Amino acid sequence: IQPPDEQPPPFTYQTTKYITHQLPSSLTYTNLQTHQLIHQNFHPPPIFSRMLKPTRPRYSPSIQDKLLRFNNKPTHQIFLQPQRPNTDQLYLQRLSTT
C-alpha cells in the first residue's frame, strides 16, 4: 500500500484548493509469467520498426518496450490506482501498451 501525501505539494503557485481526501495506491510488479505472456503475444507495432517516432517531450515506454529495452530486469513496477471511492475500478499506472 502506498498512502497518499498528508499535505500534497501543489503543481503551481496558483493552486488554491487541495484535494483533501485521497485514496491509497498499491504497488505491484510484473513477474516471469507476465513477461512470458507479453512475449508470446507480442506483435511489433510501427514504433519498433522506427516507422513512427515518439514526439512527446517525455517518452513513457510501453510494457513491451520495457521488456525489450530492459530485458535484464526480472520485474517492472505497476501502480494500482483506484479510480474513485466506492468502486473496484483501477488504473494500471506504468502498464501502457502499444
Side-chain angles (χ1 to χ4, degrees), residues 21-80:
H21 178 70
Q22 297 179 38
L23 300 172
S25 296
S26 296
L27 176 63
T28 190
Y29 295 88
T30 61
N31 58 27
L32 180 61
Q33 184 179 6
T34 310
H35 295 192
Q36 288 172 341
L37 283 169
I38 293 169
H39 282 299
Q40 288 170 1
N41 294 286
F42 182 76
H43 305 289
I47 200 162
F48 286 106
S49 65
R50 302 294 182 230
M51 289 173 59
L52 292 177
K53 293 181 181 178
T55 57
R56 298 168 291 207
R58 286 187 241 161
Y59 171 59
S60 178
S62 68
I63 191 66
Q64 297 99 319
D65 200 9
K66 288 178 191 176
L67 293 183
L68 289 175
R69 293 171 67 191
F70 310 107
N71 60 3
N72 60 329
K73 304 276 185 199
T75 64
H76 297 280
Q77 286 185 342
I78 298 172
F79 286 96
L80 306 175

Side-chain angles (χ1 to χ4, degrees), residues 4 18-24 84-85:
Y18 292 93
I19 298 173
T20 55
H21 178 70
Q22 297 179 38
L23 300 172
R84 59 186 176 275

Side-chain angles (χ1 to χ4, degrees), residues 3 6 18 24 26 33 37 44-45 79-80 83 90 93-94 96 98:
E6 287 184 27
Y18 292 93
S26 296
Q33 184 179 6
L37 283 169
F79 286 96
L80 306 175
Q83 291 288 61
L90 299 170
Q93 178 74 355
R94 298 188 178 175
S96 65
T98 52

